[in-house]
mmCIF file with all atom_site columns, all heavy atoms in Angstrom:
data_model
loop_
_atom_site.group_PDB
_atom_site.id
_atom_site.type_symbol
_atom_site.label_atom_id
_atom_site.label_alt_id
_atom_site.label_comp_id
_atom_site.label_asym_id
_atom_site.label_entity_id
_atom_site.label_seq_id
_atom_site.pdbx_PDB_ins_code
_atom_site.Cartn_x
_atom_site.Cartn_y
_atom_site.Cartn_z
_atom_site.occupancy
_atom_site.B_iso_or_equiv
_atom_site.pdbx_formal_charge
_atom_site.auth_seq_id
_atom_site.auth_comp_id
_atom_site.auth_asym_id
_atom_site.auth_atom_id
_atom_site.pdbx_PDB_model_num
ATOM 1  N N   . THR A 1 209 ? 5.416  -12.628 10.238  1.00 0.00 ? 209 THR A N   1
ATOM 2  C CA  . THR A 1 209 ? 6.780  -12.899 9.733   1.00 0.00 ? 209 THR A CA  1
ATOM 3  C C   . THR A 1 209 ? 6.605  -13.822 8.653   1.00 0.00 ? 209 THR A C   1
ATOM 4  O O   . THR A 1 209 ? 7.741  -13.879 7.828   1.00 0.00 ? 209 THR A O   1
ATOM 5  C CB  . THR A 1 209 ? 7.656  -13.825 10.934  1.00 0.00 ? 209 THR A CB  1
ATOM 6  O OG1 . THR A 1 209 ? 6.797  -14.806 11.275  1.00 0.00 ? 209 THR A OG1 1
ATOM 7  C CG2 . THR A 1 209 ? 7.864  -12.830 12.125  1.00 0.00 ? 209 THR A CG2 1
ATOM 8  N N   . GLU A 1 210 ? 5.558  -14.322 8.352   1.00 0.00 ? 210 GLU A N   1
ATOM 9  C CA  . GLU A 1 210 ? 5.387  -15.268 7.146   1.00 0.00 ? 210 GLU A CA  1
ATOM 10 C C   . GLU A 1 210 ? 3.957  -15.161 6.642   1.00 0.00 ? 210 GLU A C   1
ATOM 11 O O   . GLU A 1 210 ? 2.866  -15.314 7.537   1.00 0.00 ? 210 GLU A O   1
ATOM 12 C CB  . GLU A 1 210 ? 5.732  -16.692 7.363   1.00 0.00 ? 210 GLU A CB  1
ATOM 13 C CG  . GLU A 1 210 ? 5.461  -17.652 6.228   1.00 0.00 ? 210 GLU A CG  1
ATOM 14 C CD  . GLU A 1 210 ? 5.777  -19.047 6.594   1.00 0.00 ? 210 GLU A CD  1
ATOM 15 O OE1 . GLU A 1 210 ? 7.006  -19.369 6.604   1.00 0.00 ? 210 GLU A OE1 1
ATOM 16 O OE2 . GLU A 1 210 ? 4.930  -19.865 6.732   1.00 0.00 ? 210 GLU A OE2 1
ATOM 17 N N   . LEU A 1 211 ? 3.640  -15.121 5.353   1.00 0.00 ? 211 LEU A N   1
ATOM 18 C CA  . LEU A 1 211 ? 2.477  -15.461 4.693   1.00 0.00 ? 211 LEU A CA  1
ATOM 19 C C   . LEU A 1 211 ? 2.555  -16.482 3.667   1.00 0.00 ? 211 LEU A C   1
ATOM 20 O O   . LEU A 1 211 ? 3.599  -16.309 3.021   1.00 0.00 ? 211 LEU A O   1
ATOM 21 C CB  . LEU A 1 211 ? 1.847  -14.112 3.990   1.00 0.00 ? 211 LEU A CB  1
ATOM 22 C CG  . LEU A 1 211 ? 1.505  -12.844 4.820   1.00 0.00 ? 211 LEU A CG  1
ATOM 23 C CD1 . LEU A 1 211 ? 1.077  -11.732 3.881   1.00 0.00 ? 211 LEU A CD1 1
ATOM 24 C CD2 . LEU A 1 211 ? 0.420  -13.250 5.887   1.00 0.00 ? 211 LEU A CD2 1
ATOM 25 N N   . VAL A 1 212 ? 1.688  -17.311 3.699   1.00 0.00 ? 212 VAL A N   1
ATOM 26 C CA  . VAL A 1 212 ? 1.499  -18.202 2.527   1.00 0.00 ? 212 VAL A CA  1
ATOM 27 C C   . VAL A 1 212 ? 0.341  -17.717 1.759   1.00 0.00 ? 212 VAL A C   1
ATOM 28 O O   . VAL A 1 212 ? -0.805 -17.575 2.143   1.00 0.00 ? 212 VAL A O   1
ATOM 29 C CB  . VAL A 1 212 ? 1.301  -19.641 3.067   1.00 0.00 ? 212 VAL A CB  1
ATOM 30 C CG1 . VAL A 1 212 ? 0.901  -20.572 1.835   1.00 0.00 ? 212 VAL A CG1 1
ATOM 31 C CG2 . VAL A 1 212 ? 2.334  -20.124 3.847   1.00 0.00 ? 212 VAL A CG2 1
ATOM 32 N N   . LEU A 1 213 ? 0.654  -17.447 0.516   1.00 0.00 ? 213 LEU A N   1
ATOM 33 C CA  . LEU A 1 213 ? -0.249 -16.783 -0.568  1.00 0.00 ? 213 LEU A CA  1
ATOM 34 C C   . LEU A 1 213 ? -0.721 -17.811 -1.652  1.00 0.00 ? 213 LEU A C   1
ATOM 35 O O   . LEU A 1 213 ? 0.164  -18.583 -2.096  1.00 0.00 ? 213 LEU A O   1
ATOM 36 C CB  . LEU A 1 213 ? 0.345  -15.528 -1.182  1.00 0.00 ? 213 LEU A CB  1
ATOM 37 C CG  . LEU A 1 213 ? 0.916  -14.514 -0.225  1.00 0.00 ? 213 LEU A CG  1
ATOM 38 C CD1 . LEU A 1 213 ? 1.758  -13.488 -0.982  1.00 0.00 ? 213 LEU A CD1 1
ATOM 39 C CD2 . LEU A 1 213 ? -0.228 -13.838 0.571   1.00 0.00 ? 213 LEU A CD2 1
ATOM 40 N N   . ARG A 1 214 ? -1.981 -17.645 -2.070  1.00 0.00 ? 214 ARG A N   1
ATOM 41 C CA  . ARG A 1 214 ? -2.315 -18.404 -3.312  1.00 0.00 ? 214 ARG A CA  1
ATOM 42 C C   . ARG A 1 214 ? -1.636 -17.782 -4.398  1.00 0.00 ? 214 ARG A C   1
ATOM 43 O O   . ARG A 1 214 ? -1.575 -16.601 -4.576  1.00 0.00 ? 214 ARG A O   1
ATOM 44 C CB  . ARG A 1 214 ? -3.747 -18.374 -3.493  1.00 0.00 ? 214 ARG A CB  1
ATOM 45 C CG  . ARG A 1 214 ? -4.457 -18.964 -4.558  1.00 0.00 ? 214 ARG A CG  1
ATOM 46 C CD  . ARG A 1 214 ? -5.926 -18.798 -4.730  1.00 0.00 ? 214 ARG A CD  1
ATOM 47 N NE  . ARG A 1 214 ? -6.673 -19.367 -3.617  1.00 0.00 ? 214 ARG A NE  1
ATOM 48 C CZ  . ARG A 1 214 ? -7.374 -18.815 -2.578  1.00 0.00 ? 214 ARG A CZ  1
ATOM 49 N NH1 . ARG A 1 214 ? -7.053 -17.342 -2.507  1.00 0.00 ? 214 ARG A NH1 1
ATOM 50 N NH2 . ARG A 1 214 ? -7.914 -19.398 -1.737  1.00 0.00 ? 214 ARG A NH2 1
ATOM 51 N N   . THR A 1 215 ? -1.194 -18.502 -5.408  1.00 0.00 ? 215 THR A N   1
ATOM 52 C CA  . THR A 1 215 ? -0.661 -18.124 -6.593  1.00 0.00 ? 215 THR A CA  1
ATOM 53 C C   . THR A 1 215 ? -1.522 -18.625 -7.773  1.00 0.00 ? 215 THR A C   1
ATOM 54 O O   . THR A 1 215 ? -2.349 -19.532 -7.691  1.00 0.00 ? 215 THR A O   1
ATOM 55 C CB  . THR A 1 215 ? 0.907  -18.541 -6.806  1.00 0.00 ? 215 THR A CB  1
ATOM 56 O OG1 . THR A 1 215 ? 0.912  -20.051 -6.760  1.00 0.00 ? 215 THR A OG1 1
ATOM 57 C CG2 . THR A 1 215 ? 1.580  -18.021 -5.612  1.00 0.00 ? 215 THR A CG2 1
ATOM 58 N N   . HIS A 1 216 ? -1.212 -18.098 -8.955  1.00 0.00 ? 216 HIS A N   1
ATOM 59 C CA  . HIS A 1 216 ? -2.033 -18.404 -10.197 1.00 0.00 ? 216 HIS A CA  1
ATOM 60 C C   . HIS A 1 216 ? -1.104 -18.441 -11.460 1.00 0.00 ? 216 HIS A C   1
ATOM 61 O O   . HIS A 1 216 ? -0.131 -18.032 -11.546 1.00 0.00 ? 216 HIS A O   1
ATOM 62 C CB  . HIS A 1 216 ? -3.039 -17.143 -10.310 1.00 0.00 ? 216 HIS A CB  1
ATOM 63 C CG  . HIS A 1 216 ? -3.868 -16.898 -9.058  1.00 0.00 ? 216 HIS A CG  1
ATOM 64 N ND1 . HIS A 1 216 ? -5.182 -17.455 -8.848  1.00 0.00 ? 216 HIS A ND1 1
ATOM 65 C CD2 . HIS A 1 216 ? -3.533 -16.132 -8.101  1.00 0.00 ? 216 HIS A CD2 1
ATOM 66 C CE1 . HIS A 1 216 ? -5.523 -16.972 -7.712  1.00 0.00 ? 216 HIS A CE1 1
ATOM 67 N NE2 . HIS A 1 216 ? -4.693 -16.150 -7.215  1.00 0.00 ? 216 HIS A NE2 1
ATOM 68 N N   . ASP A 1 217 ? -1.701 -19.170 -12.320 1.00 0.00 ? 217 ASP A N   1
ATOM 69 C CA  . ASP A 1 217 ? -1.149 -19.424 -13.598 1.00 0.00 ? 217 ASP A CA  1
ATOM 70 C C   . ASP A 1 217 ? -1.128 -17.998 -14.469 1.00 0.00 ? 217 ASP A C   1
ATOM 71 O O   . ASP A 1 217 ? -2.209 -17.459 -14.623 1.00 0.00 ? 217 ASP A O   1
ATOM 72 C CB  . ASP A 1 217 ? -1.799 -20.550 -14.411 1.00 0.00 ? 217 ASP A CB  1
ATOM 73 C CG  . ASP A 1 217 ? -0.974 -21.004 -15.501 1.00 0.00 ? 217 ASP A CG  1
ATOM 74 O OD1 . ASP A 1 217 ? -0.695 -20.108 -16.539 1.00 0.00 ? 217 ASP A OD1 1
ATOM 75 O OD2 . ASP A 1 217 ? -0.573 -22.201 -15.613 1.00 0.00 ? 217 ASP A OD2 1
ATOM 76 N N   . PRO A 1 218 ? 0.045  -17.770 -15.021 1.00 0.00 ? 218 PRO A N   1
ATOM 77 C CA  . PRO A 1 218 ? 0.072  -16.322 -15.779 1.00 0.00 ? 218 PRO A CA  1
ATOM 78 C C   . PRO A 1 218 ? -0.862 -16.347 -16.978 1.00 0.00 ? 218 PRO A C   1
ATOM 79 O O   . PRO A 1 218 ? -1.280 -15.296 -17.492 1.00 0.00 ? 218 PRO A O   1
ATOM 80 C CB  . PRO A 1 218 ? 1.506  -16.260 -16.113 1.00 0.00 ? 218 PRO A CB  1
ATOM 81 C CG  . PRO A 1 218 ? 2.249  -16.906 -15.216 1.00 0.00 ? 218 PRO A CG  1
ATOM 82 C CD  . PRO A 1 218 ? 1.436  -18.244 -14.719 1.00 0.00 ? 218 PRO A CD  1
ATOM 83 N N   . SER A 1 219 ? -1.304 -17.455 -17.435 1.00 0.00 ? 219 SER A N   1
ATOM 84 C CA  . SER A 1 219 ? -2.150 -17.626 -18.595 1.00 0.00 ? 219 SER A CA  1
ATOM 85 C C   . SER A 1 219 ? -3.471 -16.785 -18.319 1.00 0.00 ? 219 SER A C   1
ATOM 86 O O   . SER A 1 219 ? -4.232 -16.421 -19.229 1.00 0.00 ? 219 SER A O   1
ATOM 87 C CB  . SER A 1 219 ? -2.561 -18.907 -19.014 1.00 0.00 ? 219 SER A CB  1
ATOM 88 O OG  . SER A 1 219 ? -3.207 -19.674 -18.017 1.00 0.00 ? 219 SER A OG  1
ATOM 89 N N   . LEU A 1 220 ? -3.855 -16.544 -17.020 1.00 0.00 ? 220 LEU A N   1
ATOM 90 C CA  . LEU A 1 220 ? -5.053 -15.776 -16.728 1.00 0.00 ? 220 LEU A CA  1
ATOM 91 C C   . LEU A 1 220 ? -4.898 -14.388 -17.178 1.00 0.00 ? 220 LEU A C   1
ATOM 92 O O   . LEU A 1 220 ? -5.967 -13.706 -17.460 1.00 0.00 ? 220 LEU A O   1
ATOM 93 C CB  . LEU A 1 220 ? -5.217 -15.727 -15.156 1.00 0.00 ? 220 LEU A CB  1
ATOM 94 C CG  . LEU A 1 220 ? -5.913 -16.783 -14.444 1.00 0.00 ? 220 LEU A CG  1
ATOM 95 C CD1 . LEU A 1 220 ? -5.875 -16.630 -12.901 1.00 0.00 ? 220 LEU A CD1 1
ATOM 96 C CD2 . LEU A 1 220 ? -7.356 -16.953 -14.940 1.00 0.00 ? 220 LEU A CD2 1
#
Side-chain angles (χ1 to χ4, degrees):
T209 55
E210 176 186 285
L211 290 179
V212 176
L213 306 169
R214 181 186 291 107
T215 64
H216 307 267
D217 193 300
S219 62
L220 279 175

